DNA sequence: AAAAATCTGAGGCACGTGCCTCAAATACCT
DNA sequence: AGGTATTTGAGGCACGTGCCTCAGATTTTT
């Protein structure tokens, strides 16, 4: 049987009221009394029963995922996962919303963040490209008592905020390793394309990519990054131009999370069959291309895992406990035609049952 | 504010006692009353507050991980993860133990399983190779009211039990795809080695491996599987013999989770520098070899993720809710030198703080 | 119609913690 | 010493659900 606050009080030789004061950091307790209680905690291995505490406090964890307003398949998949997990966590008094509120403009993002109140939300996961303004607004959020994790966009391992997502430098490096390996010592150019280089993510991926390509695959030369700015027509134009100027392109790396438009532009080109192509994220269209051998590999972050990690992290912060670093480290996953698995069929929420009788 | 059983009672026009009878499947309630309550549940979107329920029931979830008695680095890593997560979950009334109790002999396993009592444990994660006897014992466990997941060992997607782990067929296929890709159209033989082919895991991996190698890489021919039976000396002998008999070996696939001994035997061979080598799992020794370019790729299941998945699954079963299938699908991760990341440093439990004031 | 069986309601205690009040005890200051 | 400020204790209610009892209502059987 686990010790309760009652046991703690007896062990420490104080009353339950004092135990309560110590446990919840209320003022007006003598130093030596505090220590007596803490010793008792250590001796008994006391651990506060979170269920009971949350019940008593009528505590509900409210977390918002703040997502870009514009987005494609990958973002849609994220939203689905957020909703699914939210449904799953409701019984545990965790309420999760996915909100498509972030504009491209950093100032708008700042405004949105500034409007958040601790009365409405306990923590937010923000998916916005890094900028000094946003960074500032985030800090102010924290001061107001709202916990924050950087979600997918942002930099790995940079304090002071928790980050959930893959290490983009490593992701780019992995892409280069795969591309180089699959190119079979061919000589030629590599096309690199993304939606926009404004986001830190793409910049990081590019750095990692170049590093490995230069050190390990001297026979391949990467071209400057092409940017589609989310415009399919523009994508077609710049890709066509690239193929015209560089007839010896042997590989393509699509860096952005949303890969549909760039891939479409590339596959229109008549030499696509001889190309080694690597892209990011698992979506309807990328999976389809992978299965049809149009695409050689996908570098993926598991949407379900990132969502759950973000929530776990926010909850840990709210409870004032230090999360385990190793636990929420998102690994870069590589998807080949051979390891897609049967996971395309997704059970929908409506398939689930109510609590059994 | 979320509806409570009180609200439910009012909405359904019955008393709280009746609501309780329906919610907990107690007998002695008229059909139409049951329906009235269920309608009210649907109308209000009522969801039982698990915290309160568990508190009232003084419920503690007790889960055991039953692991093989013999094992190496990978198993040790699993144990660490189990302990860490156990620590993490204690506040939520989940108690997790890692027990190294399973012998190689299926009959011993059966005996161990038969000794489990629902009074001591609510669910178990079993890491044992499949056999009819074990399967039987598992069924009987279930009949006694103990929930079961097959853990890591076992078959993906085979009912009636939940399985947590990678799809081994796909893992083998992935290995072949990488090996073939990295071999640069070289012609020759591929060495395949494992601890034992008795386990279904290795058998499945081998099938997947052969399938892709045969269909996609006709220039490579895989040799029959070598078995070390966990004996380093034997590993050295059989590997030496293989290299003697087949001077044209260009690649190696180490299938077993514990790869240290086979890899050591292979790297003793003086041609190891020209070999493409693929192994499984992220351990001290495999990581080290990967970093030193002795190894080309690792196919990995994330120990933290599998452990958490298993626990989440067991808890869902205990609460009588259907787990989301997609959620606990463990993806095959591929580790290259380029995407190891800085994650080798692991925060230990002692670094963590007590609940903040 | 009477008796028996079945169903329903009212109420209360328990779980472990948070939070409150009020009085008593102790420490500190002048 | 007396007074004030600080620290501690005792007790109780609340949170939402599980589980119990017992009486009253309704239905079924005899």
């Amino acid at each position: 049987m686990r010790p309760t606050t009652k046991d703690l009080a007896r062990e420490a030789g104080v009353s339950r009221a004092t135990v309560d004061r110590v446990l919840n950091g209320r003022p007006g307790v003598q130093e030596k009394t505090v220590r007596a209680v803490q010793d008792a905690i250590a001796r008994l291995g006391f651990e506060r029963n979170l269920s009971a505490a949350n019940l008593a406090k009528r505590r509900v964890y409210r977390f918002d995922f703040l997502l870009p307003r514009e987005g494609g398949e990958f973002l849609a998949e994220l939203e689905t996962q957020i909703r699914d997990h939210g449904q799953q966590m409701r019984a545990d008094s965790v309420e999760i919303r996915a909100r498509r509120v972030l504009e491209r403009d950093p100032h708008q993002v700042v405004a949105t963040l500034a409007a958040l109140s601790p009365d409405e939300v306990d923590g937010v996961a923000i998916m916005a490209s890094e900028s000094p303004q946003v960074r500032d607004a985030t800090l102010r959020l924290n001061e107001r008592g709202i916990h924050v994790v950087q979600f997918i966009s942002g930099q790995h391992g940079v304090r002071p905020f928790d980050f959930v997502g893959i290490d983009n430098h490593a992701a780019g490096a992995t892409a280069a390793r795969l591309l180089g390996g699959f190119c079979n010592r061919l000589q030629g150019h590599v096309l690199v394309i993304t939606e926009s280089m404004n986001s830190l993510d793409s910049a990081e991926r590019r750095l990692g990519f170049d590093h490995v390509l230069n050190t390990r695959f001297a026979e391949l030369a990467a071209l400057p990054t092409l940017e589609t700015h989310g415009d399919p027509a523009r994508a077609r134009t710049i890709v066509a131009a690239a193929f015209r100027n560089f007839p010896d392109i042997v590989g393509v790396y699509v860096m952005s999370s949303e890969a549909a438009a760039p891939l479409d532009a590339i596959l229109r080109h008549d030499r696509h069959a001889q190309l080694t192509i690597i892209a990011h994220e698992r979506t309807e269209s990328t999976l389809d291309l992978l299965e049809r051998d149009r695409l050689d590999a996908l570098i993926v972050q598991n949407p379900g895992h990132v969502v759950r990690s973000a929530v776990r992290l926010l909850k840990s912060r709210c409870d004032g406990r230090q999360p385990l670093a190793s636990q929420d480290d998102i690994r870069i996953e590589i998807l080949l035609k051979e390891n897609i698995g049967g996971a395309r069929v997704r059970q929908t929420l409506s398939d689930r049952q109510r609590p059994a009788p």
Side-chain angles (χ1 to χ4, degrees), chain A:
Chain A
M1 193 92 294
R2 288 170 53 156
T4 70
T5 48
K6 231 183 210 163
D7 303 321
L8 240 191
R10 191 166 358 92
E11 176 76 17
V14 300
S15 72
R16 218 177 68 73
T18 300
V19 165
D20 176 67
R21 291 182 182 110
V22 173
L23 278 180
N24 298 295
R26 282 183 246 284
V29 185
Q30 273 195 330
E31 183 62 28
K32 66 164 193 165
T33 315
V34 172
R35 245 176 302 115
V37 173
Q38 278 165 348
D39 287 355
I41 290 176
R43 245 173 303 148
L44 262 51
F46 170 85
E47 215 146 343
R48 170 210 239 98
N49 181 332
L50 264 190
S51 295
N54 288 341
L55 175 60
K57 278 191 293 198
R58 277 233 221 75
R59 186 163 194 4
V60 178
Y61 301 87
R62 290 149 313 166
F63 301 138
D64 280 1
F65 281 79
L66 305 182
L67 309 176
R69 210 183 276 284
E70 311 269 319
E73 291 174 307
F74 179 59
L75 201 59
E77 173 64 19
L78 278 176
E79 275 193 288
T80 308
Q81 289 290 341
I82 293 167
R83 274 189 234 298
D84 279 15
H85 193 233
Q87 187 69 22
Q88 187 93 346
M89 295 292 283
R90 276 201 60 193
D92 297 309
S93 303
V94 177
E95 276 171 14
I96 302 169
R97 288 186 305 176
R99 298 175 54 200
R100 299 277 289 260
V101 292
L102 303 181
E103 310 283 352
R104 273 194 188 284
D105 175 18
H107 292 94
Q108 300 254 18
V109 174
V110 170
T112 307
L113 296 188
L116 292 174
S117 151
D119 300 336
E120 287 165 12
V121 66
D122 301 298
V124 290
I126 302 177
M127 180 173 172
S129 35
E130 202 128 325
S131 80
Q133 298 97 321
V134 171
R135 193 179 175 73
D136 248 42
T138 310
L139 275 165
R140 262 170 279 141
L141 268 185
N142 232 21
E143 281 160 13
R144 265 180 290 156
I146 298 180
H147 298 272
V148 177
V149 306
Q150 304 235 37
F151 188 60
I152 297 193
S153 272
Q155 212 160 353
H156 188 86
V158 174
R159 301 295 124 192
F161 297 114
D162 295 318
F163 171 77
V164 171
I166 53 176
D167 175 344
N168 284 310
H169 186 93
T174 305
R177 178 71 173 89
L178 287 174
L179 194 62
F182 289 165
C183 273
N184 292 323
R185 302 282 150 200
L186 281 174
Q187 213 152 9
H189 281 96
V190 176
L191 190 73
V192 181
I193 184 167
T194 185
E195 288 203 314
S196 156
M197 281 299 277
N198 287 337
S199 75
L200 203 60
D201 316 13
S202 284
E204 292 250 307
R205 287 180 185 174
R206 177 77 215 220
L207 283 175
F209 186 80
D210 286 350
H211 175 66
V212 171
L213 212 68
N214 293 337
T215 56
R216 243 183 136 123
F217 302 100
E219 70 278 14
L220 296 176
L223 296 170
T225 311
L226 300 183
E227 297 175 83
T228 67
H229 296 302
D231 176 356
R234 181 184 153 90
R236 285 196 291 277
T237 316
I238 56 180
V239 166
F243 277 116
R244 217 175 314 117
N245 296 337
F246 300 92
D248 66 338
I249 288 177
V250 295
V252 178
Y253 174 34
V254 181
M255 281 199 302
S256 46
S257 294
E258 302 292 352
L263 284 173
D264 180 65
I266 287 151
L267 294 173
R268 277 162 189 272
H269 196 266
D270 52 8
R271 259 208 2 263
H272 72 78
Q274 294 113 60
L275 296 174
T276 298
I277 307 179
I278 305 226
H280 278 274
E281 307 311 348
R282 171 200 185 91
T283 64
E284 276 295 321
S285 59
T286 57
L287 264 189
D288 179 59
L289 295 174
L290 194 62
E291 278 179 342
R292 283 163 43 217
D293 276 322
R294 296 278 201 283
L295 208 59
D296 294 272
L298 285 174
I299 295 173
V300 164
Q301 50 195 327
N302 190 313
H305 285 165
V306 285
V307 168
R308 286 193 295 278
S309 269
V311 172
R312 211 167 30 235
L313 223 51
L314 286 172
K315 190 154 178 294
S316 289
R317 291 293 179 202
C318 285
D319 294 337
R321 41 179 178 172
Q322 192 98 1
L324 273 185
S326 66
Q327 169 164 317
D328 290 288
D329 175 45
I330 298 299
R331 296 285 158 69
I332 298 164
E333 303 179 11
I334 302 175
L335 232 53
L336 307 172
K337 186 187 181 185
E338 285 75 21
N339 68 349
I340 294 176
R344 292 197 70 174
V345 189
R346 168 160 304 112
Q347 198 180 8
T348 57
L349 284 176
S350 51
D351 289 342
R352 286 198 280 155
Q353 301 170 339
R354 307 239 136 247

